Amino acid sequence: MFAGHFGVAAAVKSKAPELPLWSLLVSTQLLDIAFIPFNLAGLEYMEPIGEGGYANMMIYAFYTHSLVGALLLSLLFGLLGSKFWGKKSGVIIGAVIFSHWILDLLVHRPDIPIFPGNAGNFPLLGLGLWQSMPASILVEFLLIAIGSFLYFKYALKSSGPKHRVKGIVAGCVMTLFLFLSLGFDAFL
């Protein structure tokens, strides 16, 4: 799931207009952004299953995507967000970051640990929605559609014609990007 996370950002923007859209987009992908240096350091990696492609990967993100790791990143960046945009916005940023973990829990095969580094060697989590490509694409599509709808609704209510036009143009660009991302996801 890649595009679906962005749908969450669009939906949240409609309810928290005080936050810049970029901050919500980055927040929805922060766990994957944090994965990059861990991957480069050899601490986290992905392994294709079968022929690879959409959702045919085991993702060993035992630090960034562990339950405790995701909570720590959510807390840390939520606190950082509160320094820039206030306490309420910091809580929203933290919740958006953690929404990534919740959505990944739904789609991943059991490859998500509870503790960083899989400390304690507890069973790995993941409900495996990716095992059904049609179902996982449908969930992503719905996240994008709902997020886009709410964002457009917000843009149309924005004060002043200038803001409305900007919001609608941004919404069109964002929706196009989201659906292109969904296509990108489907053909990985």
Side-chain angles (χ1 to χ4, degrees):
M1 179 171 293
F2 178 75
H5 294 300
F6 288 130
V8 171
V12 171
K13 175 63 176 173
S14 74
K15 303 298 180 192
E18 68 277 6
L19 281 167
L21 182 58
W22 69 263
S23 69
L24 296 168
L25 292 171
V26 169
S27 294
T28 62
Q29 293 295 333
L30 189 69
L31 299 185
D32 288 345
I33 293 168
F35 173 84
I36 295 167
F38 279 81
N39 179 259
L40 292 173
L43 297 171
E44 297 185 338
Y45 59 97
M46 297 185 295
E47 199 172 85
I49 298 171
E51 295 177 20
Y54 181 78
N56 288 323
M57 301 288 265
M58 287 298 285
I59 302 171
Y60 299 100
F62 282 6
Y63 295 92
T64 59
H65 285 64
S66 69
L67 172 61
V68 172
L71 285 170
L72 289 172
L73 285 169
S74 299
L75 180 64
L76 176 68
F77 283 90
L79 289 171
L80 183 63
S82 69
K83 298 289 183 202
F84 287 100
W85 301 294
K87 186 176 180 179
K88 177 185 167 202
S89 294
V91 169
I92 293 168
I93 291 287
V96 168
I97 292 167
F98 193 69
S99 76
H100 183 109
W101 188 87
I102 292 169
L103 291 175
D104 279 3
L105 177 66
L106 294 175
V107 297
H108 278 230
R109 289 171 176 80
D111 61 8
I112 301 173
I114 296 170
F115 293 104
N118 199 22
N121 207 24
F122 290 97
L124 299 176
L125 307 174
L127 300 177
L129 186 61
W130 270 345
Q131 294 175 75
S132 169
M133 186 190 292
S136 60
I137 288 177
L138 176 64
V139 168
E140 280 201 88
F141 174 83
L142 289 173
L143 285 168
I144 293 166
I146 291 166
S148 295
F149 172 78
L150 291 172
Y151 187 85
F152 275 114
K153 189 175 165 188
Y154 152 75
L156 290 172
K157 286 183 181 179
S158 293
S159 60
K162 245 185 190 178
H163 288 351
R164 270 189 228 115
V165 170
K166 280 184 188 176
I168 291 169
V169 169
C172 287
V173 169
M174 182 184 61
T175 301
L176 178 63
F177 170 76
L178 291 175
F179 282 109
L180 288 173
S181 296
L182 179 60
F184 176 75
D185 268 1
F187 295 105
L188 277 179

